[in-house]
Amino acid sequence: MKYLFNILFLSVSLLSFSQEKIQGTILEKNDKNKSLPLLGANVYWLNTDVGTVTDFDGKFSLSYKKEYQRLVISYVGFKTDTITVKNPSKKITHKLTPKSSLDEVKVVSRKQATSRSYLDSQNTMNVSSDELLKAACCNLSESFETNPSIDVNFADAISGTRQIKMLGLTSPYILIAMENIPTVRGAAQAYGLTFTPGTWVESIQITKGAGSVVNGYESIAGQINAELQKPLKDDKLFVNLYGASSTRLEGNVHYNTSVSKKWSTGVYVHGNMHQEKHDVNDDGFLDMPLYEQVNVMNRWQYTDNENGLVGFINLRFLDDYKQTGELNFDPKTDKLTTNAWGSEIETRRYDISGKLGYVNPDLPWQTLGVQFAVSSHQQDSYFGLRQYNIEHNSIYSNIMYNSIISDSRHKIKTGISFTYDAYDELVETQNFERIDNSVGGFFEYQFDNLEKLNLTAGARIDNHNRLGLFVTPRFHMRYTPWGKSAFRASFGRGKRSANIFAENQNLFSTARNINIIESEGGDIYGLDPEIAWNYGVSYLQGFNLFGQKGDVAFDFYRTDFKNQVVVDWENPRAISFYNLENESSANSFQAELNYNLLKGFDTRFAYKYYNVKTKYQTGEKIKPLTAQHRFFANASYATPVKNNSRWKFDITYNWLGKQRFASTASNPSQYQLPEYSPEVNTVNAQITKVFSPKFEIYVGGENITNVRQPNPILGTENPFGSNFDSTFVYGPIFGSLYYAGLRYRIK
């Protein structure tokens, strides 16, 4: 191989003999005072596509022109350097420095709250903690208010739970992970986003499309990954206190300390409560539930840079309680009776998770990662006279190896994963039990020439005890036709088991009968698994206008379901679950403009169009409660820092077009709804005063224009009757909400 590589390198050198060249050697700078040559280091002229890679002896030869001045040198596991070439005839000898930690290093000209990469093959938006602080961000479900790629709305008029959508599809079709470990799934699907406090989150990566094969086969519409605060980087002490006009109270305390030279630990405590009854629309039902939550995490970090090791261990406990229903409902006397309609939802969850990363000190392009997670989720709940309990015990593990082929332009990832899920559900009087397990392997190849082309192609093969043996391919490509641009294309396949009750718990707050129309051979509630292909293209273009930076982005994604478990609400007396083959699709188009209008003044505008159709038993229809047209605008301004003090202002506007209601034509006239909902306009705003690096206060408002949906619940006068339904929610229920809080930190 070495002989062949040298022949190829010599051939390239001879072809360029007639051109003026520079020559040099790239070495590794290490702690042992040894200079080792680096094979496969990237060497290229800044802002050009002229480049090469080093040979086995770390040597390179590169064509030179007078206009070439800045030379970029990069290598996996090392800091990227840019040097100025003043004398092209003088041989260059340069040493690259290994990265001091295993965390990702990003170099940017100005810290941005949100950013997109021009180099990654996947269409990913990075959301920093600065962006999360633009809103109250009390939990993960409320972390997307200032992001146009994610749609947030209430799941029903009873539970107060927010659901998210991406590309017009609900969260079960999105792989939601914590530090790349799938977390919001199974029993946690309905309420899991509320189980992660916003202050615990360091950053969020939102990826549109099928995503990487490394994280599993379930992703269809996209992936959301939340990176948690790290004990070594987080504040030694952080306190956040929050109070809202609804008498909602929350508190967060982080405490981090070093135990030894290599071990650090952090204790993260979150608590929230709301105990005042509100009925703004006078329908006799609580507009928001009474609740309280205790959430504790102990996080350990191990760092050994000398031997290339870093690891994390997380221990978590959650106790979450909600009560909702009629104002006069008392669970002590009215539980599961017709005295008054009420509901209690209590969840206890235990989690142990961790990951270990190893970088070979001698061969830094070789890395090994191990992930594991064990969780126990117990939900006991009832809705009126309907009881729903679910216990979900889960085990997840993933082992991944990274390396290169010949040089760092050609990277590979490969590994194996294992999942185990044991479900025990009580649905009214019927019990459903099942065990799902799977073993899979994956391989992913990435080509990256840094300037023009970047592509990622991967596939995984899994053997599942219920889904069988199947292959999941994924492909992503990025091409840069000219400066500050990125054209992307992707396609991928996803497969998943639909947990029809856990994912649709709002059905229990209705009088509807539950119908499961079983398919032949269906092994999950009598249904077949869901299979879908996702295809997408996007274009990102950066620009400078009047001395300020901006970018414009367009993307289009289509999801074709080869087999979908349809949730059919078109009969107001029933909800039906059944399989549908090749008759369901979702199309999503988004145009987004980001522009730094003035120094410290950022604006963002986005328009989205959805066309999500399903062929129900009654014919093809647009998916209910999904606005086809949406418009988003956000403006934020931060004053210059003066005496360690500054002001921050943020305002967000959302417009939702009309949304189709599921059919109510067979209801009595007083319980019939129009075909479409009205349009909805909402405005959120927040002002933050930073007094010092240690202390700041914030005040804000949600839905400050006081938009409210009138009569969001049908049949409130007889909640045990056949017309009771709380699922027709298209907009805010409570009206305006104002809040204030403070943040205190010690570095």
Side-chain angles (χ1 to χ4, degrees):
M1 175 63 76
K2 179 177 179 180
Y3 178 73
L4 178 60
F5 190 97
N6 285 330
I7 291 178
L8 292 173
F9 184 79
L10 179 62
S11 301
V12 173
S13 301
L14 291 173
L15 288 173
S16 59
F17 185 77
S18 61
Q19 300 177 348
E20 190 173 0
K21 299 178 296 180
I22 64 166
Q23 294 180 334
T25 305
I26 306 302
L27 304 170
E28 171 190 354
K29 183 178 181 181
N30 60 32
D31 297 332
K32 302 177 181 179
N33 295 321
K34 293 182 179 180
S35 296
L36 303 176
L38 283 178
L39 158 68
N42 298 291
V43 183
Y44 63 96
W45 293 110
L46 183 66
N47 296 324
T48 75
D49 57 359
V50 179
T52 186
V53 294
T54 56
D55 66 7
F56 278 90
D57 299 316
K59 298 183 182 298
F60 72 92
S61 177
L62 186 62
S63 60
Y64 171 77
K65 294 181 181 179
K66 290 182 179 180
E67 56 266 31
Y68 297 162
Q69 294 182 350
R70 305 276 284 168
L71 193 67
V72 181
I73 305 168
S74 68
Y75 195 75
V76 174
F78 288 77
K79 295 179 179 179
T80 298
D81 289 340
T82 303
I83 62 176
T84 301
V85 178
K86 297 181 179 179
N87 184 0
S89 62
K90 183 179 179 181
K91 287 190 176 183
I92 296 170
T93 300
H94 186 79
K95 296 180 180 180
L96 287 181
T97 303
K99 293 179 180 178
S100 59
S101 71
L102 298 178
D103 292 329
E104 183 179 6
V105 176
K106 294 184 180 179
V107 180
V108 294
S109 59
R110 181 177 71 90
K111 187 177 181 180
Q112 293 179 314
T114 61
S115 63
R116 285 189 176 94
S117 171
Y118 288 91
L119 299 178
D120 290 345
S121 59
Q122 298 187 45
N123 185 9
T124 300
M125 173 174 284
N126 296 291
V127 181
S128 71
S129 57
D130 289 343
E131 180 72 16
L132 300 178
L133 294 179
K134 290 181 178 180
C137 189
C138 295
N139 58 61
L140 195 57
S141 73
E142 299 168 313
S143 300
F144 306 102
E145 299 290 349
T146 61
N147 190 294
S149 296
I150 304 295
D151 305 309
V152 184
N153 196 15
F154 289 101
D156 55 69
I158 293 289
S159 68
T161 304
R162 304 189 190 211
Q163 65 175 0
I164 65 171
K165 295 180 181 179
M166 182 190 292
L167 308 184
L169 298 174
T170 54
S171 58
Y173 299 105
I174 308 168
L175 193 152
I176 303 175
M178 301 294 164
E179 301 191 321
N180 291 312
I181 296 176
T183 304
V184 182
R185 56 186 298 274
Q189 193 63 250
Y191 309 116
L193 285 171
T194 67
F195 297 161
T196 300
T199 63
W200 292 10
V201 178
E202 179 187 69
S203 63
I204 299 175
Q205 295 80 48
I206 302 171
T207 302
K208 291 185 176 181
S212 170
V213 296
V214 174
N215 297 325
Y217 52 81
E218 294 180 322
S219 170
I220 292 176
Q223 297 186 1
I224 297 175
N225 178 59
E227 287 291 325
L228 301 179
Q229 299 284 0
K230 297 171 176 58
L232 272 179
K233 291 184 176 181
D234 194 16
D235 301 314
K236 181 176 181 180
L237 175 66
F238 175 83
V239 178
N240 176 70
L241 300 177
Y242 166 98
S245 57
S246 62
T247 68
R248 172 180 177 178
L249 300 174
E250 302 213 2
N252 295 278
V253 178
H254 307 178
Y255 177 73
N256 298 281
T257 186
S258 294
V259 178
S260 66
K261 184 178 179 180
K262 297 179 180 180
W263 282 97
S264 299
T265 186
V267 177
Y268 299 77
V269 180
H270 167 84
N272 66 57
M273 64 181 300
H274 172 250
Q275 295 298 320
E276 185 170 324
K277 296 182 177 182
H278 300 277
D279 182 18
V280 178
N281 55 15
D282 296 321
D283 63 358
F285 275 73
L286 295 174
D287 294 330
M288 58 181 66
L290 309 179
Y291 58 79
E292 55 186 32
Q293 182 186 112
V294 176
N295 205 338
V296 181
M297 176 175 68
N298 181 208
R299 185 160 163 81
W300 291 81
Q301 179 174 356
Y302 176 82
T303 305
D304 183 356
N305 290 323
E306 184 178 347
N307 293 307
L309 289 169
V310 65
F312 294 91
I313 299 175
N314 305 319
L315 308 172
R316 290 186 59 180
F317 168 74
L318 167 86
D319 188 1
D320 184 76
Y321 172 81
K322 296 182 180 69
Q323 177 195 322
T324 189
E326 292 188 271
L327 284 172
N328 59 350
F329 172 75
D330 183 349
K332 294 180 180 179
T333 57
D334 303 331
K335 177 180 178 179
L336 295 172
T337 73
T338 57
N339 296 339
W341 197 99
S343 170
E344 289 183 288
I345 307 166
E346 183 165 11
T347 304
R348 285 203 168 193
R349 184 178 174 94
Y350 302 87
D351 291 91
I352 301 175
S353 63
K355 60 181 183 179
L356 176 67
Y358 169 73
V359 175
N360 189 329
D362 298 322
L363 303 173
W365 61 84
Q366 293 183 356
T367 66
L368 181 68
V370 179
Q371 300 171 314
F372 74 91
V374 179
S375 65
S376 175
H377 183 111
Q378 177 70 53
Q379 176 187 324
D380 297 318
S381 54
Y382 62 90
F383 306 81
L385 299 178
R386 290 178 143 167
Q387 192 169 1
Y388 177 67
N389 299 333
I390 180 170
E391 182 177 353
H392 178 194
N393 295 310
S394 176
I395 300 173
Y396 170 86
S397 61
N398 194 28
I399 301 174
M400 179 176 64
Y401 172 74
N402 295 346
S403 188
I404 62 174
I405 303 175
S406 75
D407 62 68
S408 60
R409 294 174 302 173
H410 306 275
K411 304 178 181 71
I412 60 169
K413 295 179 181 179
T414 187
I416 57 175
S417 60
F418 169 77
T419 61
Y420 170 90
D421 296 287
Y423 297 95
D424 186 359
E425 290 179 284
L426 175 65
V427 182
E428 297 180 333
T429 60
Q430 190 171 1
N431 188 257
F432 295 89
E433 291 186 67
R434 79 175 196 271
I435 293 177
D436 292 350
N437 59 69
S438 68
V439 177
F442 56 86
F443 180 86
E444 188 173 81
Y445 165 77
Q446 181 179 355
F447 172 78
D448 186 358
N449 74 349
L450 297 177
E451 286 293 315
K452 287 289 185 182
L453 181 65
N454 177 310
L455 62 86
T456 302
R460 60 179 299 131
I461 181 168
D462 291 271
N463 187 21
H464 192 285
N465 65 321
R466 295 181 185 276
L467 308 186
L469 183 69
F470 59 95
V471 177
T472 307
R474 307 274 172 84
F475 177 84
H476 299 267
M477 182 201 73
R478 183 271 307 169
Y479 175 69
T480 299
W482 45 74
K484 291 185 177 180
S485 67
F487 171 79
R488 293 182 171 91
S490 68
F491 67 84
R493 183 178 188 261
K495 191 170 184 177
R496 63 180 296 272
S497 304
N499 292 288
I500 58 176
F501 300 115
E503 296 167 6
N504 298 279
Q505 294 191 38
N506 55 345
L507 73 88
F508 297 118
S509 299
T510 72
R512 296 171 182 257
N513 295 318
I514 300 173
N515 294 331
I516 301 177
I517 304 174
E518 298 184 3
S519 63
E520 185 176 349
D523 199 25
I524 307 162
Y525 307 103
L527 301 170
D528 293 328
E530 295 188 291
I531 303 172
W533 284 87
N534 182 280
Y535 313 90
V537 292
S538 67
Y539 179 71
L540 172 65
Q541 179 66 58
F543 62 86
N544 290 315
L545 182 63
F546 304 121
Q548 301 296 325
K549 293 183 178 181
D551 62 68
V552 61
F554 305 91
D555 62 54
F556 174 80
Y557 288 87
R558 177 178 175 85
T559 305
D560 278 323
F561 283 92
K562 300 306 176 185
N563 199 325
Q564 184 180 28
V565 174
V566 175
V567 186
D568 189 342
W569 297 85
E570 299 305 316
N571 179 354
R573 295 289 178 272
I575 177 172
S576 299
F577 299 97
Y578 51 86
N579 282 107
L580 181 70
E581 295 185 9
N582 301 314
E583 297 287 354
S584 183
S585 64
N587 297 301
S588 168
F589 169 79
Q590 178 172 320
E592 182 177 343
L593 170 66
N594 296 276
Y595 183 56
N596 178 226
L597 192 62
L598 299 169
K599 185 177 181 180
F601 188 11
D602 295 315
T603 59
R604 181 180 303 138
F605 304 93
Y607 165 76
K608 284 193 291 190
Y609 170 75
Y610 290 145
N611 185 14
V612 185
K613 292 184 176 180
T614 300
K615 191 171 183 180
Y616 299 100
Q617 292 179 332
T618 53
E620 186 179 71
K621 298 180 185 294
I622 296 173
K623 188 175 181 178
L625 297 175
T626 301
Q628 287 191 286
H629 301 278
R630 295 170 179 257
F631 178 75
F632 169 95
N634 174 264
S636 60
Y637 175 68
T639 63
V641 177
K642 187 176 182 181
N643 297 325
N644 289 324
S645 178
R646 70 190 311 186
W647 288 89
K648 296 180 180 180
F649 305 88
D650 189 86
I651 185 169
T652 301
Y653 169 75
N654 273 289
W655 172 82
L656 277 70
K658 63 182 183 180
Q659 304 172 54
R660 188 182 75 84
F661 285 124
S663 176
T664 56
S666 60
N667 276 349
S669 58
Q670 65 269 34
Y671 302 119
Q672 291 182 6
L673 296 172
E675 186 177 0
Y676 288 94
S677 73
E679 299 174 356
V680 176
N681 297 269
T682 59
V683 178
N684 300 339
Q686 180 175 287
I687 300 173
T688 303
K689 171 61 176 176
V690 179
F691 291 95
S692 72
K694 290 185 177 181
F695 182 69
E696 62 188 63
I697 62 173
Y698 56 92
V699 296
E702 297 179 4
N703 186 23
I704 59 179
T705 52
N706 200 33
V707 174
R708 288 204 311 268
Q709 177 181 342
N711 304 319
I713 306 176
L714 296 182
T716 54
E717 75 286 351
N718 183 16
F720 297 99
S722 60
N723 297 300
F724 178 71
D725 201 322
S726 67
T727 59
F728 294 100
V729 178
Y730 64 84
I733 300 171
F734 182 73
S736 299
L737 182 144
Y738 298 93
Y739 60 85
L742 64 85
R743 303 183 185 102
Y744 175 77
R745 52 174 60 88
I746 298 176
K747 298 292 185 181

